[in-house]
Amino acid sequence: MTDADATSQPDPLSTASRDIAEVPAVEIISTAALHLMSAAAVNLGLAADLPDHKDLDEARSLIDSLAGLLDAAAPSLGHHHAAPLKDGLRSLQLAFREASTIQDEPGQGPGEKYTGAVYPSTTQRS
């Protein structure tokens, strides 16, 4: 390879940096949130192709991380983007409560330090 060949080829790192610079923060945050949601769902046994797989310790960590991310990013996301992600988080928290044989105290479940206690709709607390 000559010096001329080396300079004519784009640097892959610089290309990747340019590509990521063009992606809005809301899209990166939403993508990260969706990955956390998907992984939590799999570990709660909600995946169609792995219905018997349950790892509640992993699910708890993922739900905690998702709740922290959404709590920190909510002002930047705006209601339009944050609302469906928060709904998904609540669904995962309820699925965790349902899957767990030992119930957490209210406010102590995964992510509840960020969201407050989560209850099923039929037993909603005031």
Side-chain angles (χ1 to χ4, degrees), residues 36-45 53-69 89 92-114:
L36 290 166
M37 292 174 118
S38 296
V42 168
N43 283 296
L44 288 170
H53 175 79
K54 281 193 185 167
D55 188 335
L56 297 184
D57 288 337
E58 288 289 307
R60 179 183 294 276
S61 294
L62 293 160
I63 294 169
D64 275 337
S65 298
L66 174 62
L69 173 64
L89 169 60
L92 290 169
Q93 289 172 309
L94 290 171
F96 183 93
R97 187 170 291 282
E98 187 176 303
S100 183
T101 56
I102 301 171
Q103 294 299 307
D104 291 314
E105 291 295 319
Q108 301 301 308
E112 291 183 354
K113 69 181 173 186
Y114 300 105

Side-chain angles (χ1 to χ4, degrees), residues 1-26:
M1 181 187 279
T2 66
D3 288 339
D5 291 336
T7 58
S8 66
Q9 297 297 319
D11 177 13
L13 293 177
S14 122
T15 302
S17 294
R18 257 193 311 278
D19 289 347
I20 202 77
E22 295 174 7
V23 180
V26 67

Side-chain angles (χ1 to χ4, degrees), residues 25-38 63 66-67 69-71 73-74 76-93 115:
V26 67
E27 192 172 324
I28 293 171
I29 294 165
S30 296
T31 299
L34 290 174
H35 283 290
L36 290 166
M37 292 174 118
S38 296
I63 294 169
L66 174 62
L69 173 64
L70 294 181
D71 184 56
S76 300
L77 292 175
H79 179 74
H80 176 73
H81 293 285
L85 295 172
K86 287 182 176 182
D87 287 344
L89 169 60
R90 184 174 188 281
S91 295
L92 290 169
Q93 289 172 309
T115 64

